[in-house]
Amino acid sequence: MNDIDKYKNGSFSGSNFQGKDLAGYDFSGSYLDQANFSGMNLEGANFENAVLVRADFTDSNLKNCRFYGANMEMAVLKNADMFNANIDNANLNHADLRDAILRGFDAIGTSFCNATLRGADLKMGWMRRCNIEGADFTGAEQQGLII
């Protein structure tokens, strides 16, 4: 197993990953609830089908990350840069995405129930068949957003 795959399908609940360079790592299928990824460079990382309930990604670089099918309920993504991220079929219910950059993101079948997207940059993104019941889009930039 190479280092990039060492977190795949593992259990790392509550872990503090701060200070590690994990760009491009594979976290697919892992349990990472309440993990701390704040302020990190995770560009291109794979979080497909991972459990990220209450995980903290504040101020993190999540460009080109894959969150397909991830459970990100109540995750904190304030000021995170999720440019071109894939969040298809993910659960972002009650997530905090205030001032996050989601420009060019792809969200098909994603649930954003009661999520906070205040001031988020949603420009040029895809948001199809999503559940946005109770979501707060106050001040979000939505130019070119396809719904």
Side-chain angles (χ1 to χ4, degrees), residues 77 79-85 97-103 105 119-122:
L77 296 131
N79 299 308
D81 188 347
M82 298 178 75
F83 175 82
N84 209 35
L97 293 131
R98 282 178 287 167
D99 299 312
I101 298 168
L102 288 116
R103 187 180 296 237
F105 74 105
D121 181 349
L122 307 173

Side-chain angles (χ1 to χ4, degrees), residues 127-141:
M127 206 174 205
R128 296 171 297 195
R129 297 188 311 274
C130 292
N131 186 344
I132 58 171
E133 184 179 342
D136 183 356
F137 289 92
T138 304
E141 297 179 46

Side-chain angles (χ1 to χ4, degrees), residues 110-130:
T110 302
S111 184
F112 292 95
C113 288
N114 300 302
T116 302
L117 293 110
R118 287 177 167 261
D121 181 349
L122 307 173
K123 292 178 188 172
M124 307 307 292
W126 290 81
M127 206 174 205
R128 296 171 297 195
R129 297 188 311 274
C130 292

Side-chain angles (χ1 to χ4, degrees), residues 4-144:
I4 286 180
D5 293 328
K6 73 180 181 180
Y7 296 112
K8 185 176 182 176
N9 295 315
S11 182
F12 305 98
S13 297
S15 294
N16 184 356
F17 291 99
Q18 279 187 308
K20 293 179 171 50
D21 181 5
L22 301 174
Y25 272 62
D26 188 353
F27 294 92
S28 61
S30 292
Y31 289 88
L32 297 152
D33 49 304
Q34 299 184 42
N36 184 1
F37 292 100
S38 60
M40 292 187 57
N41 177 19
L42 293 157
E43 185 168 355
N46 181 5
F47 292 94
E48 290 183 23
N49 298 308
V51 176
L52 296 157
V53 175
R54 291 190 171 112
D56 187 354
F57 291 97
T58 301
D59 297 317
S60 291
N61 176 2
L62 302 171
K63 292 176 185 171
N64 300 304
C65 284
R66 294 177 305 281
F67 292 99
Y68 181 92
N71 182 355
M72 302 173 76
E73 189 165 6
M74 294 180 275
V76 180
L77 296 131
K78 291 186 291 190
N79 299 308
D81 188 347
M82 298 178 75
F83 175 82
N84 209 35
N86 180 313
I87 52 176
D88 292 346
N89 296 308
N91 173 0
L92 283 151
N93 294 340
H94 301 279
D96 185 351
L97 293 131
R98 282 178 287 167
D99 299 312
I101 298 168
L102 288 116
R103 187 180 296 237
F105 74 105
D106 194 14
I108 300 171
T110 302
S111 184
F112 292 95
C113 288
N114 300 302
T116 302
L117 293 110
R118 287 177 167 261
D121 181 349
L122 307 173
K123 292 178 188 172
M124 307 307 292
W126 290 81
M127 206 174 205
R128 296 171 297 195
R129 297 188 311 274
C130 292
N131 186 344
I132 58 171
E133 184 179 342
D136 183 356
F137 289 92
T138 304
E141 297 179 46
Q142 300 179 44
Q143 296 88 340

